[in-house]
Amino acid sequence: MIDIEEINDIDELCGRRAVWDGLLEQTCGASFFQSLDWLRVYWKHYGAGQKLRAIVVSSSDGPLGILPLVVRRVGRRIGSVRVLTYPLDDWGSFYGPLGPAPALTLAAGLRHICHTRRDWDVIEMRWVAAGSELDTATLDAMKHAGFQTYRKERQQTALVRLGTTWEQCEQAWTSKHRNNLRRQQKRLTASGEVNCVTHRPAGAAAGDADPRWDLYDACMDIARRSWQSSSQTGTTITHDTVRDFLREMHGVAAAAGGVVMNLLYLNGQPLAFAYNYHWRGYNFGLRIGYDADMSRDGVGNLLTMNAIKSACQHGDRTYDMGPGSLEYKRFFATDVVPIMQYNHYATTPKAQGLRLKHCAQQWWTPASLVTPS
């Protein structure tokens, strides 16, 4: 028999840390974004105006999975819309339920959503890797819950599947790309002494939780000098909307053993950085930055190469370069993976207006429509 419990309070959820952490350890392909540490700090900074709907699925033998969901208001042209979705908020590429049985957790969780009071206008199960087990499981779960479902591609992300050695990683790139990297490295070395620094604490449990605030501040300084410093979309770590959140998260991630900082120095001065989160072999590139005055010297490519090299040497299996800017990422990527989204629209005028707009946008590249059986 399957039991369902819904938790709406973040403090109550944090009181279930042992359950959450135990299920996270059994989650295939988990990322740091699925940790309770991430959700706790995220909720502190951005939880206002959102409703937490964490669904715990259990059997007589104990917890089987957790489906973390939130209801948040999203501005659309037709006005504010209540969206039920995962609590990732486009920070990473992928998300999903916790535990060893994602299909069962999704099915039970979405049936619960179907049979409880509707506090949403649209369901958007975002951040699902195309062709993955979760892709099929999400489709089946929504269908069996009775939701008419629309599937579409949301974004694409560039992945580097890492070999067991750095030489294997390099060989996956074209000879032209490898030669370009060598020329760029030679040109930068001609300007002075080049050093690469990686800080990857193992975490408090291993007695290694030093956040190295000096390196973090160096990343901040580079970000202020980067071409992204004038961005108004929060794409740099210095932006007002994310600066305090990321700083607090940095200390938490260092204690959890989930942060990586890669810095490139020229003549002792920080020139470029890659700020990443990692979890059990999955390394995600959260933010990068480099001195705008050096952008023509291939600094961004050399930074990326060294960050991938460090990930390979630490035994990571995947380096996710993240969505967007695929023009330069394709040179490094071994796979460009579509990120899928599943939508269901409530039978309200506003939600149906969004459905019609969705269908019109998909006219030339149709979304998959699944009618409940």
Side-chain angles (χ1 to χ4, degrees), residues 289-345:
Y290 49 87
D291 193 316
D293 293 336
M294 301 294 292
S295 62
R296 295 182 180 179
D297 292 334
V299 169
N301 282 336
L302 295 178
L303 167 73
T304 300
M305 180 189 71
N306 282 288
I308 294 172
K309 183 177 182 179
S310 172
C312 180
Q313 292 172 338
H314 280 87
D316 291 336
R317 67 180 185 279
T318 303
Y319 190 99
D320 188 342
M321 301 177 73
S325 303
L326 293 179
E327 296 78 12
Y328 98 87
K329 293 177 182 178
R330 287 179 186 274
F331 293 111
F332 293 96
T334 56
D335 300 280
V336 175
V337 177
I339 303 173
M340 307 310 295
Q341 170 177 320
Y342 290 88
N343 284 16
H344 169 73
Y345 302 91

Side-chain angles (χ1 to χ4, degrees), residues 182-259:
R182 292 189 188 102
R183 283 194 294 269
Q184 290 166 350
Q185 191 163 21
K186 184 176 180 180
R187 186 164 58 242
L188 185 62
T189 302
S191 301
E193 182 182 2
V194 178
N195 292 315
C196 301
V197 174
T198 296
H199 181 60
R200 182 171 170 147
D208 179 19
D210 185 0
R212 287 295 304 270
W213 290 112
D214 59 322
L215 296 181
Y216 187 85
D217 289 339
C219 294
M220 293 284 287
D221 181 62
I222 296 168
R224 294 187 187 98
R225 292 184 277 121
S226 76
W227 62 271
Q228 291 180 320
S229 60
S230 60
S231 169
Q232 299 301 311
T233 59
T235 55
T236 182
I237 60 176
T238 56
H239 193 272
D240 290 345
T241 60
V242 301
R243 183 181 58 244
D244 293 343
F245 164 62
L246 289 177
R247 190 172 188 86
E248 181 175 354
M249 186 65 77
H250 177 71
V252 171
V259 71

Side-chain angles (χ1 to χ4, degrees), residues 247-267:
R247 190 172 188 86
E248 181 175 354
M249 186 65 77
H250 177 71
V252 171
V259 71
V260 188
M261 291 184 288
N262 296 284
L263 290 96
L264 194 64
Y265 286 79
L266 178 63
N267 295 325

